[in-house]
Amino acid sequence: MTIVLLGAKGMLGIDVVEEVQLRKWNIIALDLEDFDISNPEDSARIISGEFGEFDWCINCAAYTAVDKAESEPELAF
């Protein structure tokens, strides 16, 4: 089994990476420097298999600037 993990360096992503590795599954761990979840072209890169073939894609990426969410609603969305 191969998993693509988005947001691999975040709080949740780090824990998911550990769990995937414990199960001896393959992981393609991506973070903001590799993939921007707000960019539709980056999503197309995942779907096209640019990062490799995978069985599952787990999204752990998140908007974390909670204090700015009200002043940046479009970005937070």
Side-chain angles (χ1 to χ4, degrees):
M1 166 134 8
T2 299
I3 308 256
V4 168
L5 181 67
L6 309 176
K9 293 182 182 175
M11 291 173 62
L12 177 60
I14 290 169
D15 289 342
V16 173
V17 167
E18 284 182 22
E19 290 299 318
V20 169
Q21 290 174 336
L22 284 173
R23 288 165 174 72
K24 308 274 191 238
W25 295 338
N26 298 317
I27 188 164
I28 302 168
L30 305 174
D31 207 76
L32 188 55
E33 63 270 3
D34 310 302
F35 173 86
D36 181 353
I37 195 158
S38 67
N39 183 343
E41 292 163 359
D42 279 358
S43 295
R45 292 171 55 211
I46 297 288
I47 294 166
S48 73
E50 181 177 322
F51 294 99
E53 296 295 317
F54 60 93
D55 300 294
W56 292 93
C57 180
I58 300 173
N59 177 26
C60 295
Y63 177 84
T64 57
V66 177
D67 55 325
K68 293 182 179 181
E70 287 185 18
S71 62
E72 298 177 343
E74 292 167 358
L75 185 57
F77 179 73

